[in-house]
Amino acid sequence: MAKRPLLVGNWKMHGDGGDLPTVIAIGEAARRHPAVDVALCLPATLIERAGRVCLGLAIGGQDCHAEPNGAHTGDISAAMLREAGASLVLLGHSERRHDHHENDVLIAAKLRAARAAGLDVMLCVGETAEDHAAGRSAEVVRQQLTRSLAGMGGQGIAIAYEPVWAIGGDRTPDPAEVAAMAGLIRDTVSGVRIVYGGSVTPDNGAALFVDGGVDGFLVGRQSLDAEAFIAILKSIDLATRQISSPS
Ligand code: 13P
C-alpha cells in the first residue's frame, strides 16, 4: 500500500521572527492538503514561536546531541527540542557530516537519543560527487544506512536520500536513479518512508515524485519561499491522487 506522502522543509541557518508569516502561510496550505504530512525543520530559535502560531504542520529541529544534557556548550538535546515543541529532528544531514565531521557511529547515538526522547527522525544519507562518479553510490548509501541505524527498526524513522552533489545547486539525479536508490533503501530498511532531497523545485517536483518512486521530499532553499514550497506541496497532492485513481 502506498505510504502517506511527506514533505519536509529544511530552513538550515535561515530565518528569524520576521519569517513567521512564511511558516503560517505554509501551515495554512498544509491544512488545505491534509493527505500530505508537512513539516518544517527550523533553526532552534524559531521552534517554540513557530509552534505557537502554526498548527497545520509539524515542527522539527535540524540536529540534536546524543546525550540528554551535560557540559556541551552550544549543543541542544533531543528532549530540549521536544520541550520547545518539535516532533521530529533531521539527523545525518550532509552539511553536518561534512562541516562537523559527523560519522555514522555518532549519528546512530543521536538517533537512539532522539527516539528515546519521543522525536521522529528523518535520517539523511547520500553519496558525494566523487563517490557518484566512481559508481559507489549504492555501496555508500547502504553503509550509511546500516551503520547509522545500527539495528534500530524503522519505527518513527524516515529516510532522506540527498546526494551531496545535488544539494544547493541546480543539478538533480534522473528520476530513474532516484527510483533505484529508493529501491535499495526499501530493501535495506523495511517500512520507512523515503524522501528525496537536493534542488527540488516546483518545476522538477512532480517528475521526481512520480518517476523517482519516493514518498516525498526534503526541500532546502525552496522551503524558504512559501509560494514555491506550497507549489511543491500541491504537486505532490495532485500526483498522489492521480496515482491512487488513474483515469
Ligand atoms: P536544496 O533544496 O537547497 O538543494 O537543499 C537540499 C537540502 O539539503 C535539504 O536538506
Side-chain angles (χ1 to χ4, degrees), residues 125-218:
V125 294
E127 79 284 358
T128 61
E130 194 187 354
D131 288 325
H132 186 248
R136 287 195 298 263
S137 306
E139 183 192 329
V140 166
V141 167
R142 199 179 290 116
Q143 184 171 308
Q144 288 174 339
L145 279 176
T146 46
R147 291 186 181 173
S148 302
L149 288 168
M152 296 274 291
Q155 180 78 19
I157 297 174
I159 308 292
Y161 170 55
E162 295 206 303
V164 181
W165 52 272
I167 294 175
D170 55 11
R171 289 171 68 204
T172 63
D174 283 342
E177 250 184 290
V178 174
M181 197 57 81
L184 179 152
I185 295 169
R186 242 171 236 121
D187 289 346
T188 311
V189 208
S190 59
V192 292
R193 286 191 284 188
I194 301 165
V195 304
Y196 165 79
S199 300
V200 175
T201 68
D203 291 336
N204 63 22
L208 284 164
F209 180 72
V210 177
D211 301 330
V214 287
D215 303 303
F217 297 124
L218 177 55

Side-chain angles (χ1 to χ4, degrees), residues 9-29:
N10 174 10
W11 276 22
K12 307 191 179 182
M13 200 172 72
H14 297 286
D16 57 24
D19 296 300
L20 287 172
T22 303
V23 177
I24 293 169
I26 292 172
E28 284 169 354

